Amino acid sequence: MPTPFAHVWAAVALSPLFKNKSGFIKMLLLGMFCTVIPDADVLAFDFGIPYEHLFGHRGITHSIFFSVLLGFLIVFIFYNKAFKNGQWWLLFLFFFLCTFSHTFFDAMTNGGKGVAMFAPFYNERIFLPFRPIKVAPFTLDALMTDRGWRVLLSEFKVVWIPCILMFVVFWFVKRK
């Protein structure tokens, strides 16, 4: 899995396209939350749930289904008025894309057992054919090792730089 530092860049990259009147910072912070929350499933290990299980790591929380569900839930809880004025779908799209970006990035890693992208309908774990992101260690101490720095460098090249460029392009496009 990539580090949380890499995942949040997706929300930053997409944010200029989805600015709303309800507060940009609120939307961006909720988007960042959506990019990292799928990894809450690592808690499954503490309950003896195996990796391969639907509720195991990179299971249901790494699926398109979960991304749709969380996108609607965030809009319903934090932007309830958007359903009344018809603006809900843009907010939903932003939160869906933020959540799904986690799955997309994890499917680009060079380790683990893949992601259950189509769960709960199909629990097979898959990777994308292009897998340049090195799997990150689980602890901050391990991230501060030589291996950890190689992980961050791979993320910088494959995630951070493209997301920063997307942000700049989207920001300029949106301004005009």
PDB file of all heavy atoms in Angstrom, residues 4 9 26 29 33 37-38 41 49 53-54 57 63 79 97 99 110 113 125 128-129 134 140 152 161 174-175:
ATOM      1  N   PRO A   4      -0.134   7.111   3.574  1.00  0.00           N
ATOM      2  CA  PRO A   4      -1.231   8.092   3.590  1.00  0.00           C
ATOM      3  C   PRO A   4      -0.831   9.408   2.929  1.00  0.00           C
ATOM      4  O   PRO A   4      -1.670  10.104   2.373  1.00  0.00           O
ATOM      5  CB  PRO A   4      -1.507   8.291   5.080  1.00  0.00           C
ATOM      6  CG  PRO A   4      -1.005   7.050   5.739  1.00  0.00           C
ATOM      7  CD  PRO A   4       0.162   6.590   4.907  1.00  0.00           C
ATOM      8  N   TRP A   9      -2.890  13.149  -1.857  1.00  0.00           N
ATOM      9  CA  TRP A   9      -2.639  13.975  -3.034  1.00  0.00           C
ATOM     10  C   TRP A   9      -3.763  13.871  -4.066  1.00  0.00           C
ATOM     11  O   TRP A   9      -3.975  14.803  -4.843  1.00  0.00           O
ATOM     12  CB  TRP A   9      -1.293  13.631  -3.663  1.00  0.00           C
ATOM     13  CG  TRP A   9      -0.174  14.329  -2.955  1.00  0.00           C
ATOM     14  CD1 TRP A   9       0.735  13.776  -2.116  1.00  0.00           C
ATOM     15  CD2 TRP A   9       0.125  15.722  -3.006  1.00  0.00           C
ATOM     16  NE1 TRP A   9       1.581  14.740  -1.637  1.00  0.00           N
ATOM     17  CE2 TRP A   9       1.239  15.949  -2.170  1.00  0.00           C
ATOM     18  CE3 TRP A   9      -0.428  16.805  -3.669  1.00  0.00           C
ATOM     19  CZ2 TRP A   9       1.796  17.209  -1.994  1.00  0.00           C
ATOM     20  CZ3 TRP A   9       0.125  18.070  -3.486  1.00  0.00           C
ATOM     21  CH2 TRP A   9       1.229  18.256  -2.661  1.00  0.00           C
ATOM     22  N   LYS A  26     -13.387  22.555   3.933  1.00  0.00           N
ATOM     23  CA  LYS A  26     -14.211  21.441   4.413  1.00  0.00           C
ATOM     24  C   LYS A  26     -14.243  20.325   3.379  1.00  0.00           C
ATOM     25  O   LYS A  26     -14.038  19.153   3.704  1.00  0.00           O
ATOM     26  CB  LYS A  26     -15.625  21.944   4.706  1.00  0.00           C
ATOM     27  CG  LYS A  26     -16.612  20.867   5.089  1.00  0.00           C
ATOM     28  CD  LYS A  26     -17.999  21.486   5.269  1.00  0.00           C
ATOM     29  CE  LYS A  26     -19.080  20.459   5.430  1.00  0.00           C
ATOM     30  NZ  LYS A  26     -20.413  21.077   5.524  1.00  0.00           N
ATOM     31  N   LEU A  29     -10.731  18.612   3.135  1.00  0.00           N
ATOM     32  CA  LEU A  29     -10.440  17.748   4.291  1.00  0.00           C
ATOM     33  C   LEU A  29     -11.271  16.462   4.254  1.00  0.00           C
ATOM     34  O   LEU A  29     -10.762  15.376   4.548  1.00  0.00           O
ATOM     35  CB  LEU A  29     -10.659  18.497   5.603  1.00  0.00           C
ATOM     36  CG  LEU A  29      -9.643  19.602   5.898  1.00  0.00           C
ATOM     37  CD1 LEU A  29     -10.045  20.375   7.151  1.00  0.00           C
ATOM     38  CD2 LEU A  29      -8.228  19.050   6.011  1.00  0.00           C
ATOM     39  N   PHE A  33      -9.917  12.652   3.889  1.00  0.00           N
ATOM     40  CA  PHE A  33     -10.406  11.556   4.737  1.00  0.00           C
ATOM     41  C   PHE A  33     -10.803  10.369   3.865  1.00  0.00           C
ATOM     42  O   PHE A  33     -10.445   9.222   4.151  1.00  0.00           O
ATOM     43  CB  PHE A  33     -11.588  12.050   5.578  1.00  0.00           C
ATOM     44  CG  PHE A  33     -12.331  10.953   6.278  1.00  0.00           C
ATOM     45  CD1 PHE A  33     -11.852  10.409   7.456  1.00  0.00           C
ATOM     46  CD2 PHE A  33     -13.525  10.458   5.750  1.00  0.00           C
ATOM     47  CE1 PHE A  33     -12.536   9.396   8.100  1.00  0.00           C
ATOM     48  CE2 PHE A  33     -14.215   9.444   6.388  1.00  0.00           C
ATOM     49  CZ  PHE A  33     -13.719   8.913   7.568  1.00  0.00           C
ATOM     50  N   ILE A  37      -9.336   6.480   4.419  1.00  0.00           N
ATOM     51  CA  ILE A  37     -10.196   5.626   5.246  1.00  0.00           C
ATOM     52  C   ILE A  37     -10.267   4.170   4.782  1.00  0.00           C
ATOM     53  O   ILE A  37     -10.455   3.276   5.624  1.00  0.00           O
ATOM     54  CB  ILE A  37     -11.616   6.233   5.424  1.00  0.00           C
ATOM     55  CG1 ILE A  37     -12.342   5.587   6.603  1.00  0.00           C
ATOM     56  CG2 ILE A  37     -12.426   6.123   4.147  1.00  0.00           C
ATOM     57  CD1 ILE A  37     -11.676   5.797   7.941  1.00  0.00           C
ATOM     58  N   PRO A  38     -10.097   3.849   3.512  1.00  0.00           N
ATOM     59  CA  PRO A  38     -10.129   2.426   3.157  1.00  0.00           C
ATOM     60  C   PRO A  38      -9.115   1.572   3.927  1.00  0.00           C
ATOM     61  O   PRO A  38      -9.360   0.393   4.170  1.00  0.00           O
ATOM     62  CB  PRO A  38      -9.834   2.424   1.652  1.00  0.00           C
ATOM     63  CG  PRO A  38     -10.427   3.716   1.188  1.00  0.00           C
ATOM     64  CD  PRO A  38     -10.074   4.688   2.289  1.00  0.00           C
ATOM     65  N   ASP A  41      -9.309  -0.875   7.283  1.00  0.00           N
ATOM     66  CA  ASP A  41      -9.506  -2.328   7.300  1.00  0.00           C
ATOM     67  C   ASP A  41      -8.301  -3.105   7.846  1.00  0.00           C
ATOM     68  O   ASP A  41      -8.394  -4.302   8.085  1.00  0.00           O
ATOM     69  CB  ASP A  41      -9.903  -2.841   5.924  1.00  0.00           C
ATOM     70  CG  ASP A  41      -8.824  -2.660   4.860  1.00  0.00           C
ATOM     71  OD1 ASP A  41      -7.693  -2.242   5.185  1.00  0.00           O
ATOM     72  OD2 ASP A  41      -9.125  -2.929   3.681  1.00  0.00           O
ATOM     73  N   ILE A  49      -9.313 -11.577  11.344  1.00  0.00           N
ATOM     74  CA  ILE A  49      -9.884 -11.708  10.001  1.00  0.00           C
ATOM     75  C   ILE A  49      -8.726 -11.789   9.007  1.00  0.00           C
ATOM     76  O   ILE A  49      -7.882 -10.896   8.962  1.00  0.00           O
ATOM     77  CB  ILE A  49     -10.805 -10.514   9.670  1.00  0.00           C
ATOM     78  CG1 ILE A  49     -11.978 -10.468  10.666  1.00  0.00           C
ATOM     79  CG2 ILE A  49     -11.308 -10.595   8.235  1.00  0.00           C
ATOM     80  CD1 ILE A  49     -12.837  -9.227  10.553  1.00  0.00           C
ATOM     81  N   HIS A  53     -10.156 -12.452   3.269  1.00  0.00           N
ATOM     82  CA  HIS A  53     -11.582 -12.358   3.599  1.00  0.00           C
ATOM     83  C   HIS A  53     -12.167 -11.072   3.004  1.00  0.00           C
ATOM     84  O   HIS A  53     -11.465 -10.077   2.819  1.00  0.00           O
ATOM     85  CB  HIS A  53     -11.744 -12.363   5.124  1.00  0.00           C
ATOM     86  CG  HIS A  53     -13.144 -12.538   5.582  1.00  0.00           C
ATOM     87  ND1 HIS A  53     -14.017 -11.486   5.699  1.00  0.00           N
ATOM     88  CD2 HIS A  53     -13.831 -13.643   5.958  1.00  0.00           C
ATOM     89  CE1 HIS A  53     -15.182 -11.923   6.138  1.00  0.00           C
ATOM     90  NE2 HIS A  53     -15.096 -13.232   6.301  1.00  0.00           N
ATOM     91  N   LEU A  54     -13.457 -11.091   2.717  1.00  0.00           N
ATOM     92  CA  LEU A  54     -14.145  -9.907   2.195  1.00  0.00           C
ATOM     93  C   LEU A  54     -13.911  -8.684   3.071  1.00  0.00           C
ATOM     94  O   LEU A  54     -13.766  -7.565   2.573  1.00  0.00           O
ATOM     95  CB  LEU A  54     -15.655 -10.193   2.076  1.00  0.00           C
ATOM     96  CG  LEU A  54     -16.536  -9.046   1.594  1.00  0.00           C
ATOM     97  CD1 LEU A  54     -16.191  -8.662   0.156  1.00  0.00           C
ATOM     98  CD2 LEU A  54     -18.001  -9.421   1.707  1.00  0.00           C
ATOM     99  N   HIS A  57      -7.909  -6.979   4.897  1.00  0.00           N
ATOM    100  CA  HIS A  57      -7.198  -5.844   4.310  1.00  0.00           C
ATOM    101  C   HIS A  57      -7.281  -5.875   2.792  1.00  0.00           C
ATOM    102  O   HIS A  57      -7.123  -6.920   2.173  1.00  0.00           O
ATOM    103  CB  HIS A  57      -5.729  -5.854   4.759  1.00  0.00           C
ATOM    104  CG  HIS A  57      -4.960  -4.680   4.262  1.00  0.00           C
ATOM    105  ND1 HIS A  57      -5.412  -3.381   4.393  1.00  0.00           N
ATOM    106  CD2 HIS A  57      -3.779  -4.602   3.621  1.00  0.00           C
ATOM    107  CE1 HIS A  57      -4.531  -2.560   3.863  1.00  0.00           C
ATOM    108  NE2 HIS A  57      -3.521  -3.282   3.380  1.00  0.00           N
ATOM    109  N   SER A  63     -13.192  -1.332  -2.614  1.00  0.00           N
ATOM    110  CA  SER A  63     -14.025  -1.656  -3.774  1.00  0.00           C
ATOM    111  C   SER A  63     -14.728  -0.419  -4.333  1.00  0.00           C
ATOM    112  O   SER A  63     -14.866   0.602  -3.664  1.00  0.00           O
ATOM    113  CB  SER A  63     -15.082  -2.692  -3.376  1.00  0.00           C
ATOM    114  OG  SER A  63     -16.014  -2.120  -2.482  1.00  0.00           O
ATOM    115  N   TYR A  79     -23.414  17.508   3.590  1.00  0.00           N
ATOM    116  CA  TYR A  79     -23.953  18.435   2.587  1.00  0.00           C
ATOM    117  C   TYR A  79     -25.409  18.096   2.289  1.00  0.00           C
ATOM    118  O   TYR A  79     -25.828  18.052   1.130  1.00  0.00           O
ATOM    119  CB  TYR A  79     -23.138  18.350   1.291  1.00  0.00           C
ATOM    120  CG  TYR A  79     -21.701  18.752   1.445  1.00  0.00           C
ATOM    121  CD1 TYR A  79     -20.723  17.785   1.688  1.00  0.00           C
ATOM    122  CD2 TYR A  79     -21.300  20.079   1.340  1.00  0.00           C
ATOM    123  CE1 TYR A  79     -19.387  18.136   1.825  1.00  0.00           C
ATOM    124  CE2 TYR A  79     -19.972  20.445   1.477  1.00  0.00           C
ATOM    125  CZ  TYR A  79     -19.023  19.468   1.721  1.00  0.00           C
ATOM    126  OH  TYR A  79     -17.709  19.822   1.849  1.00  0.00           O
ATOM    127  N   LEU A  97     -14.474   9.764  -6.260  1.00  0.00           N
ATOM    128  CA  LEU A  97     -13.159   9.703  -6.893  1.00  0.00           C
ATOM    129  C   LEU A  97     -12.029   9.699  -5.856  1.00  0.00           C
ATOM    130  O   LEU A  97     -11.034   8.990  -6.031  1.00  0.00           O
ATOM    131  CB  LEU A  97     -12.986  10.866  -7.881  1.00  0.00           C
ATOM    132  CG  LEU A  97     -13.826  10.779  -9.151  1.00  0.00           C
ATOM    133  CD1 LEU A  97     -13.718  12.077  -9.951  1.00  0.00           C
ATOM    134  CD2 LEU A  97     -13.412   9.583  -9.990  1.00  0.00           C
ATOM    135  N   THR A  99     -12.187   8.496  -2.798  1.00  0.00           N
ATOM    136  CA  THR A  99     -12.174   7.171  -2.174  1.00  0.00           C
ATOM    137  C   THR A  99     -11.625   6.134  -3.141  1.00  0.00           C
ATOM    138  O   THR A  99     -10.770   5.319  -2.774  1.00  0.00           O
ATOM    139  CB  THR A  99     -13.592   6.766  -1.720  1.00  0.00           C
ATOM    140  OG1 THR A  99     -14.151   7.815  -0.921  1.00  0.00           O
ATOM    141  CG2 THR A  99     -13.554   5.484  -0.906  1.00  0.00           C
ATOM    142  N   ASN A 110       3.640  -2.895  -5.845  1.00  0.00           N
ATOM    143  CA  ASN A 110       4.380  -4.083  -6.264  1.00  0.00           C
ATOM    144  C   ASN A 110       4.336  -5.211  -5.235  1.00  0.00           C
ATOM    145  O   ASN A 110       5.149  -6.119  -5.277  1.00  0.00           O
ATOM    146  CB  ASN A 110       5.834  -3.715  -6.565  1.00  0.00           C
ATOM    147  CG  ASN A 110       6.600  -3.296  -5.326  1.00  0.00           C
ATOM    148  OD1 ASN A 110       6.034  -3.163  -4.247  1.00  0.00           O
ATOM    149  ND2 ASN A 110       7.887  -3.083  -5.482  1.00  0.00           N
ATOM    150  N   LYS A 113      -1.543  -8.658  -1.899  1.00  0.00           N
ATOM    151  CA  LYS A 113      -2.328  -9.672  -2.610  1.00  0.00           C
ATOM    152  C   LYS A 113      -3.373  -9.062  -3.531  1.00  0.00           C
ATOM    153  O   LYS A 113      -4.331  -9.716  -3.909  1.00  0.00           O
ATOM    154  CB  LYS A 113      -2.988 -10.607  -1.594  1.00  0.00           C
ATOM    155  CG  LYS A 113      -1.968 -11.361  -0.764  1.00  0.00           C
ATOM    156  CD  LYS A 113      -2.630 -12.301   0.196  1.00  0.00           C
ATOM    157  CE  LYS A 113      -1.563 -13.011   1.014  1.00  0.00           C
ATOM    158  NZ  LYS A 113      -2.139 -13.966   1.946  1.00  0.00           N
ATOM    159  N   ARG A 125      -8.845 -10.706  -5.779  1.00  0.00           N
ATOM    160  CA  ARG A 125      -7.937  -9.564  -5.607  1.00  0.00           C
ATOM    161  C   ARG A 125      -7.178  -9.346  -6.906  1.00  0.00           C
ATOM    162  O   ARG A 125      -6.678 -10.292  -7.503  1.00  0.00           O
ATOM    163  CB  ARG A 125      -6.960  -9.825  -4.464  1.00  0.00           C
ATOM    164  CG  ARG A 125      -7.615 -10.189  -3.130  1.00  0.00           C
ATOM    165  CD  ARG A 125      -8.528  -9.070  -2.639  1.00  0.00           C
ATOM    166  NE  ARG A 125      -9.312  -9.445  -1.492  1.00  0.00           N
ATOM    167  CZ  ARG A 125      -9.011  -9.112  -0.243  1.00  0.00           C
ATOM    168  NH1 ARG A 125      -7.948  -8.422   0.037  1.00  0.00           N
ATOM    169  NH2 ARG A 125      -9.810  -9.477   0.739  1.00  0.00           N
ATOM    170  N   LEU A 128      -3.324  -3.697 -11.102  1.00  0.00           N
ATOM    171  CA  LEU A 128      -3.261  -3.118 -12.439  1.00  0.00           C
ATOM    172  C   LEU A 128      -2.004  -3.641 -13.127  1.00  0.00           C
ATOM    173  O   LEU A 128      -1.049  -4.041 -12.447  1.00  0.00           O
ATOM    174  CB  LEU A 128      -3.223  -1.584 -12.347  1.00  0.00           C
ATOM    175  CG  LEU A 128      -4.490  -0.929 -11.789  1.00  0.00           C
ATOM    176  CD1 LEU A 128      -4.294   0.571 -11.651  1.00  0.00           C
ATOM    177  CD2 LEU A 128      -5.681  -1.232 -12.660  1.00  0.00           C
ATOM    178  N   PRO A 129      -1.977  -3.632 -14.434  1.00  0.00           N
ATOM    179  CA  PRO A 129      -0.780  -4.130 -15.130  1.00  0.00           C
ATOM    180  C   PRO A 129       0.472  -3.273 -14.856  1.00  0.00           C
ATOM    181  O   PRO A 129       1.581  -3.763 -14.888  1.00  0.00           O
ATOM    182  CB  PRO A 129      -1.146  -4.048 -16.612  1.00  0.00           C
ATOM    183  CG  PRO A 129      -2.601  -3.826 -16.670  1.00  0.00           C
ATOM    184  CD  PRO A 129      -3.054  -3.296 -15.353  1.00  0.00           C
ATOM    185  N   LYS A 134       6.138   1.139  -4.784  1.00  0.00           N
ATOM    186  CA  LYS A 134       6.653   0.169  -3.820  1.00  0.00           C
ATOM    187  C   LYS A 134       5.720   0.120  -2.606  1.00  0.00           C
ATOM    188  O   LYS A 134       5.205   1.139  -2.174  1.00  0.00           O
ATOM    189  CB  LYS A 134       8.063   0.552  -3.382  1.00  0.00           C
ATOM    190  CG  LYS A 134       9.069   0.504  -4.519  1.00  0.00           C
ATOM    191  CD  LYS A 134      10.462   0.817  -4.030  1.00  0.00           C
ATOM    192  CE  LYS A 134      11.486   0.866  -5.134  1.00  0.00           C
ATOM    193  NZ  LYS A 134      11.420  -0.115  -6.161  1.00  0.00           N
ATOM    194  N   LEU A 140       5.734   4.119  11.132  1.00  0.00           N
ATOM    195  CA  LEU A 140       6.520   5.313  10.829  1.00  0.00           C
ATOM    196  C   LEU A 140       8.006   5.028  11.011  1.00  0.00           C
ATOM    197  O   LEU A 140       8.831   5.508  10.231  1.00  0.00           O
ATOM    198  CB  LEU A 140       6.069   6.473  11.719  1.00  0.00           C
ATOM    199  CG  LEU A 140       6.612   7.845  11.363  1.00  0.00           C
ATOM    200  CD1 LEU A 140       6.301   8.207   9.915  1.00  0.00           C
ATOM    201  CD2 LEU A 140       6.043   8.897  12.289  1.00  0.00           C
ATOM    202  N   LEU A 152       9.000   6.195  -0.497  1.00  0.00           N
ATOM    203  CA  LEU A 152       8.594   7.595  -0.664  1.00  0.00           C
ATOM    204  C   LEU A 152       9.048   8.156  -2.004  1.00  0.00           C
ATOM    205  O   LEU A 152       8.315   8.915  -2.650  1.00  0.00           O
ATOM    206  CB  LEU A 152       9.134   8.450   0.486  1.00  0.00           C
ATOM    207  CG  LEU A 152       8.467   8.211   1.834  1.00  0.00           C
ATOM    208  CD1 LEU A 152       9.205   8.968   2.939  1.00  0.00           C
ATOM    209  CD2 LEU A 152       7.006   8.624   1.804  1.00  0.00           C
ATOM    210  N   ILE A 161       4.109  13.935  -7.946  1.00  0.00           N
ATOM    211  CA  ILE A 161       4.362  14.837  -9.076  1.00  0.00           C
ATOM    212  C   ILE A 161       3.166  14.880 -10.032  1.00  0.00           C
ATOM    213  O   ILE A 161       2.704  15.973 -10.378  1.00  0.00           O
ATOM    214  CB  ILE A 161       5.677  14.481  -9.801  1.00  0.00           C
ATOM    215  CG1 ILE A 161       6.872  14.841  -8.902  1.00  0.00           C
ATOM    216  CG2 ILE A 161       5.784  15.202 -11.142  1.00  0.00           C
ATOM    217  CD1 ILE A 161       8.221  14.422  -9.457  1.00  0.00           C
ATOM    218  N   LYS A 174      -9.885  25.873 -14.444  1.00  0.00           N
ATOM    219  CA  LYS A 174     -11.071  26.325 -13.711  1.00  0.00           C
ATOM    220  C   LYS A 174     -11.119  27.855 -13.617  1.00  0.00           C
ATOM    221  O   LYS A 174     -12.191  28.439 -13.624  1.00  0.00           O
ATOM    222  CB  LYS A 174     -11.082  25.687 -12.318  1.00  0.00           C
ATOM    223  CG  LYS A 174     -12.366  25.802 -11.599  1.00  0.00           C
ATOM    224  CD  LYS A 174     -13.445  24.951 -12.245  1.00  0.00           C
ATOM    225  CE  LYS A 174     -14.654  24.963 -11.350  1.00  0.00           C
ATOM    226  NZ  LYS A 174     -15.694  24.124 -11.785  1.00  0.00           N
ATOM    227  N   ARG A 175      -9.965  28.484 -13.532  1.00  0.00           N
ATOM    228  CA  ARG A 175      -9.913  29.960 -13.446  1.00  0.00           C
ATOM    229  C   ARG A 175     -10.368  30.611 -14.721  1.00  0.00           C
ATOM    230  O   ARG A 175     -10.878  31.724 -14.719  1.00  0.00           O
ATOM    231  CB  ARG A 175      -8.499  30.418 -13.126  1.00  0.00           C
ATOM    232  CG  ARG A 175      -8.148  30.252 -11.673  1.00  0.00           C
ATOM    233  CD  ARG A 175      -6.847  30.886 -11.382  1.00  0.00           C
ATOM    234  NE  ARG A 175      -6.952  32.316 -11.705  1.00  0.00           N
ATOM    235  CZ  ARG A 175      -6.169  33.234 -11.225  1.00  0.00           C
ATOM    236  NH1 ARG A 175      -5.209  32.908 -10.411  1.00  0.00           N
ATOM    237  NH2 ARG A 175      -6.306  34.488 -11.562  1.00  0.00           N
TER     238      ARG A 175
END
